[in-house]
Structures are given as structure tokens and as C-alpha cells.
Amino acid sequence: SFTSHMKLCCFPFFSINKAINTQEVAVKEKHARNILAKCVCKGAHTFWAAVNRLPLSSNAVLCWKFCHVFHKLLRDGHPNVIKDSMRNKADLTDMSRMWGHLSEGYGKLCSIYLKLLITKMEFHIKNPRFPGNLQMSNRQLDEAGENDVNNFFQLTVEMFDYLECELNLFLGVFSSLDMSRSVSVTAAGQCRLAPLIQVILDCSHLYDYTVKLLFKLHSCLPADTLQGHRDRFQEQFKKLKSLFYRSSNLQYFKRLIQIPQLPENPPNFLRASALSEHISPVVVIPAESSSPESEHVVETEDLVDTDIPVLPTKFDDLFGTSAATDPFNFNSQNGMRKDDKDRLIEQLTREIQALKEELESFRLEVKKLHIH
């Protein structure tokens, strides 16, 4: 029927506008889930049809939340999301350059985040064996190099570049916050910190794979040839170790994610047997994790530390059992008061009315995309 068809066409646009808006609050899990389930189940055409209507170049908070949602979709959406999104690369590059003219606030962060997302897309297009969430077995990682030391050498360089972009965003967010205050329990603080969950998930895999690839390279090439690789690894190791440690001490993350800690010292790649001592960092997202809804920000003393011990996973045992099975399982609702529900119903009724008025033009845009 027309009514059911109208709901089907309207829903993606509605979900995207609920997640990507100008309110300085963290993107909610339910809205991200809706987009993942309804907008990108086969690709990213519908997502981009809606996103291209948003004024991402004129509002930095809006752009920041777009980046957060897009990062989730690249990680956990249909494999076609990455391919479909590459046609928007030039626009994203221009937007990053535009926001880069600002020296602080969300504008600067958007510029850094867009660079990361472009780098992420480029890496996965060039290396299609790697899924968006970067979860691979040892055998799959080995196969990615196609038994050619030159491929492994180049792949390691590309992973360094990828991880560098992740670390830049990590550092950018932290340096934009006043860490002397309880920023992680404010709506504004959570808005900036929330995307770092995706960054932490990416970083844990990229760090793990660079360690394994460097050991492989040292078994094939002279140590002097790999001095540049070792130097770059050392620099990134120090940054990531510090950022993981600092993140694990923030109340906001304690409720949502168990962040692994890196070893005291980096691996010694000149000693082949040190590979057996490498412990792959595993990010744990509790199945029932919850966070304060952004409209009901809680105080520090009300936050419960739900730390979950992480058992170290040795090199040979890690793959095949992923603890981070649901990167979206955060920010979930933790109950709602009656007056909040009434307000929400009124708000939704108004928004549905507004969406009905835009439905026809949106349907036409989607239809054109499918025709082309």
C-alpha cells in the first residue's frame, strides 16, 4: 500500500536526521542501529541520498556527528558501503580542507576526522581482503600479503598511515577537552568522546597487525632495511599506549568499553622468539553496557565502575573468537520517565509531519539513484 511504502521511504531519512543533527550530544545507539539496519543493508545509496541534503559544511557539530555515524557504517555496514561511498571522496576532501581553516573546536576536529575516514576508505578499497571492522584471522592476514615480502612491506606502511590518522583524531579530541574537569559526564564532553569507541576498535587491530607484520618482515629482510619501520612503530606505540591508558581512566568509557593496555615496553623485533610473547589487545564491549542518555547527564559519583577483567589472549589463540562482537552496543537506553515519553511523542509527531512534506522529493531522489 502507499502508506506502507511511504513509511519505508520515510524511515531512513527520519533515522538519519535523528542521529545526525546540530544538538551537542552523543549519537544514540538506537539511531545508529536503525541506520545500519534500514539504510545500509545493501549499500550506501539511501544513506548518501539523505546525507547530501544536510548542511554539513555550515555546522561543525552536524558534520562531527555525520563523521561518527559514517565511521560506524564503514566498520559494520554492508561491504558495499565503502565502495558506494568512494564517489563522495572529493566532496569529503573539500569539506576537510574547508573545516581545516579553523584552528579549534569542532571545525578542526571535523577536518581531522574526515581525513581519517577518507584514509579508511582508501585503505579498504586498495586492500579489499580487510573488512571495514578490520577483524581477520592470522591466516587471512598472511594471505593479504600474497606471499610477497614487498607486499608485506607496503602493507605495513599503509597500516602506519591508517593508524596515524586514528591517533591524530584521538589526540585532537583529548587536547580539545579540559581534562581537569569531569568532561566525560557532560553532554558536550560525551559528544566529542563517543566516536573514540570506533577509533579504539580500529586501533587495537591496526596495532596488532603491525606487530605481526613487523615480525614477519624481520624474518625476511635485514634489520637495517627496517630501521624506518621500527622508528615509526616506536613513535606510534608510545602515543597509543598513553591514549589507551588515559581513555581507560575516563568514567564515560568505563561504562561502555573495556580498553586493553599495551605492554610496558614495545616488542623487540630483532629477537624472533619475542613474537610468542605478543599479546593481541582485545577490546571488550559488555553485552549490557549502558550510558547516561545525553539529555540526562549524571554526575561523576553516580557512575558505577563496571570494569570487566580482560584475560590476555596469546598470538595463536586470538583469532576466531572476537570479544568485540557488537561495536554498536553502547549508549543504550536505561529507562525513561513518563513526562519524557510524552515530550518525545509530541516531538516525533511534529517531525513525522515535516517528513511527510519532504517525502515526495526524497522518493524521487532514491528512484533516480536506483535507475542510474
Side-chain angles (χ1 to χ4, degrees):
S1 71
F2 174 77
T3 307
S4 60
H5 182 63
M6 185 181 76
K7 285 179 182 175
L8 190 64
C9 291
C10 186
F11 187 79
F13 189 61
F14 178 72
S15 300
I16 289 163
N17 275 272
K18 290 300 292 179
I20 306 171
N21 52 51
T22 57
Q23 293 176 292
E24 195 179 1
V25 297
V27 175
K28 292 193 177 71
E29 175 215 3
K30 59 184 176 182
H31 299 145
R33 280 185 185 279
N34 285 341
I35 296 170
L36 189 69
K38 302 291 183 182
C39 305
V40 293
C41 49
K42 291 182 181 177
H45 293 302
T46 307
F47 173 73
W48 283 106
V51 164
N52 285 334
R53 301 160 65 92
L54 299 173
L56 298 179
S57 298
S58 60
N59 187 288
V61 172
L62 186 76
C63 185
W64 177 250
K65 294 176 82 168
F66 154 74
C67 289
H68 183 184
V69 170
F70 185 38
H71 195 172
K72 290 180 181 179
L73 301 188
L74 289 174
R75 282 188 50 82
D76 296 285
H78 190 280
N80 286 344
V81 169
I82 297 173
K83 190 170 59 180
D84 293 345
S85 299
M86 277 301 283
R87 69 188 64 185
N88 296 278
K89 178 186 161 184
D91 291 337
L92 296 176
T93 302
D94 290 343
M95 205 184 308
S96 175
R97 193 178 300 116
M98 188 274 295
W99 283 122
H101 292 305
L102 299 181
S103 59
E104 57 182 23
Y106 279 102
K108 182 181 179 184
L109 293 177
C110 286
S111 178
I112 298 169
Y113 208 162
L114 288 163
K115 283 177 190 168
L116 163 59
L117 296 173
I118 292 163
T119 301
K120 185 175 180 71
M121 284 194 295
E122 289 175 336
F123 176 88
H124 291 283
I125 290 293
K126 190 172 181 181
N127 302 283
R129 292 174 186 263
F130 287 80
N133 63 12
L134 288 165
Q135 292 180 4
M136 294 180 82
S137 67
N138 283 337
R139 192 175 74 177
Q140 288 170 323
L141 181 62
D142 205 39
E143 289 170 351
E146 298 176 344
N147 240 8
D148 185 333
V149 69
N150 295 309
N151 290 343
F152 285 119
F153 189 96
Q154 181 58 29
L155 181 58
T156 309
V157 171
E158 290 169 17
M159 284 194 174
F160 281 145
D161 293 342
Y162 195 162
L163 185 54
E164 192 70 34
C165 289
E166 303 270 5
L167 293 171
N168 286 342
L169 182 60
F170 222 141
L171 287 163
V173 170
F174 272 27
S175 54
S176 76
L177 295 169
D178 180 359
M179 304 308 281
S180 65
R181 300 170 60 237
S182 300
V183 289
S184 76
V185 292
T186 66
Q190 290 173 9
C191 188
R192 296 193 188 201
L193 290 168
L196 294 186
I197 290 178
Q198 305 303 307
V199 173
I200 290 165
L201 289 163
D202 280 349
C203 285
S204 65
H205 289 299
L206 290 170
Y207 166 78
D208 185 39
Y209 300 156
T210 53
V211 170
K212 292 170 181 175
L213 291 177
L214 281 171
F215 272 113
K216 181 178 280 292
L217 287 172
H218 279 80
S219 70
C220 305
L221 297 171
D224 290 350
T225 308
L226 296 165
Q227 185 62 54
H229 275 46
R230 286 198 302 278
D231 291 344
R232 197 167 180 195
F233 176 85
Q234 293 270 1
E235 184 186 342
Q236 292 190 343
F237 174 85
K238 288 175 187 172
K239 288 180 185 175
L240 188 59
K241 180 178 168 65
S242 169
L243 290 166
F244 272 10
Y245 177 75
R246 290 170 70 188
S247 301
S248 65
N249 287 319
L250 287 177
Q251 289 287 356
Y252 177 66
F253 290 126
K254 285 186 177 184
R255 296 172 61 84
L256 308 174
I257 186 171
Q258 180 68 33
I259 301 168
Q261 298 305 303
L262 299 190
E264 190 62 37
N265 299 304
N268 180 2
F269 298 111
L270 302 178
R271 184 168 60 85
S273 61
L275 174 59
S276 63
E277 300 162 12
H278 170 62
I279 298 173
S280 297
V282 178
V283 178
V284 177
I285 297 185
E288 297 300 322
S289 66
S290 63
S291 80
E293 287 292 352
S294 298
E295 27 317 345
H296 308 303
V297 179
V298 298
E299 296 302 321
T300 310
E301 55 268 26
D302 294 328
L303 288 168
V304 180
D305 187 346
T306 55
D307 284 354
I308 296 175
V310 180
L311 297 175
T313 311
K314 285 290 182 185
F315 176 84
D316 292 329
D317 301 330
L318 170 65
F319 293 103
T321 57
S322 170
T325 51
D326 189 2
F328 277 80
N329 200 356
F330 68 97
N331 239 13
S332 59
Q333 285 210 290
N334 201 17
M336 190 182 276
R337 296 197 301 265
K338 188 175 182 299
D339 56 340
D340 294 325
K341 286 184 180 177
D342 292 338
R343 255 202 318 274
L344 182 61
I345 290 167
E346 288 172 15
Q347 181 188 341
L348 291 175
T349 304
R350 286 196 302 272
E351 290 179 359
I352 288 169
Q353 188 57 42
L355 285 167
K356 282 178 181 176
E357 294 168 9
E358 296 192 67
L359 176 63
E360 193 57 38
S361 61
F362 179 66
R363 284 176 60 206
L364 288 171
E365 285 180 30
V366 174
K367 191 175 179 182
K368 282 178 190 173
L369 281 170
H370 286 302
I371 290 171
H372 295 302

